[in-house]
Amino acid sequence: RAGKTRTLEVLEPIVAKPWFTGRTSAAALVRKVDKDRPTLLLDESDAAFGGEKEYAEALRGQLNTGYRKSGKSSLCTGQGAKMDVHDFSTFCAKAIAGIGTLPDTVADRSIPITLRRRLSDEPCERWRERDGHAEAAPLRDLLAAWGAKALEHLRDARPELPSNLGDRQADVWEPLIAIADMAQDHRHQAARFD
């Protein structure tokens, strides 16, 4: 009850092409990400990684390579004499919610956000999906318009990265630091968490 699922529910109306799921097959996961490039909002990751081995390994592979644009998963497609190998793109935005820790290789490519239960003296407005989607629409539209204008700048951005980041961490943080640099306010320095 710390708000893991709720966080995904609140993200759903503002992200591009949301795909909110708690479970899918390995084949569907790989093919949907390749075809649609959704924002994967994956709930119950602890159950996914602790469950069926084939799915857990497909998910791990998807997440391990999908943090970069060139990431791919290679699978056999077709039948009989028409069988071939196809490279499926694994790149898409992802938010993962679960209890406990992620597998080390996935955690190494992640930006963790730790949630805690709200205290009784911390009031908060109740989430209603239909209202939340309607209220989020203007923000989603603003974000989409900003993203379209910022894309060229961000594509060529080479922000200065904190020296305490490892190579993979730098790969994951670089786009967020480039966005913070565009804000040119306190977020510029806060994003570097020196």
Side-chain angles (χ1 to χ4, degrees):
R1 292 183 292 173
K4 297 174 301 301
T5 300
R6 182 69 73 224
T7 299
L8 298 180
E9 291 170 341
V10 171
L11 284 173
E12 186 178 24
I14 62 171
V15 300
K17 298 187 265 181
W19 180 29
F20 192 150
T21 185
R23 178 68 166 91
T24 185
S25 70
L29 174 69
V30 170
R31 285 164 175 81
K32 180 152 179 84
V33 168
D34 179 74
K35 178 177 161 258
D36 297 340
R37 278 260 172 98
T39 298
L40 175 60
L41 302 172
L42 180 66
D43 203 6
E44 308 296 340
S45 67
D46 47 313
F49 286 116
E52 178 190 332
K53 185 174 170 119
E54 180 187 359
Y55 175 66
E57 288 306 310
L59 178 59
R60 183 192 312 260
Q62 188 81 14
L63 298 173
N64 283 349
T65 61
Y67 72 98
R68 56 193 171 92
K69 203 168 188 173
S70 61
K72 64 179 125 321
S73 183
S74 303
L75 301 175
C76 288
T77 58
Q79 295 179 358
K82 295 189 183 209
M83 188 169 282
D84 198 5
V85 175
H86 182 81
D87 289 337
F88 292 88
S89 173
T90 57
F91 179 71
C92 73
K94 300 163 189 73
I96 307 164
I99 297 171
T101 59
L102 291 169
D104 289 344
T105 58
V106 175
D108 195 35
R109 294 157 173 85
S110 300
I111 297 172
I113 299 171
T114 303
L115 301 176
R116 66 165 177 78
R117 285 186 182 176
R118 178 174 58 90
L119 300 176
S120 60
D121 64 346
E122 296 175 316
C124 147
E125 192 174 324
R126 285 196 179 270
W127 168 260
R128 297 286 187 255
E129 185 175 7
R130 64 184 172 272
D131 298 332
H133 279 254
E135 291 172 13
L139 177 58
R140 181 193 61 236
D141 294 344
L142 282 171
L143 288 170
W146 178 87
K149 284 193 274 185
L151 187 60
E152 279 308 310
H153 173 79
L154 292 172
R155 186 176 285 131
D156 296 330
R158 299 293 183 270
E160 183 178 327
L161 300 171
S163 59
N164 60 332
L165 293 178
D167 289 343
R168 193 166 293 127
Q169 290 173 316
D171 291 344
V172 172
W173 275 98
E174 183 176 15
L176 297 177
I177 292 172
I179 290 168
D181 284 353
M182 286 185 72
Q184 295 182 346
D185 59 13
H186 68 281
R187 290 169 283 211
H188 168 78
Q189 285 304 321
R192 284 167 172 75
F193 52 87
D194 292 323

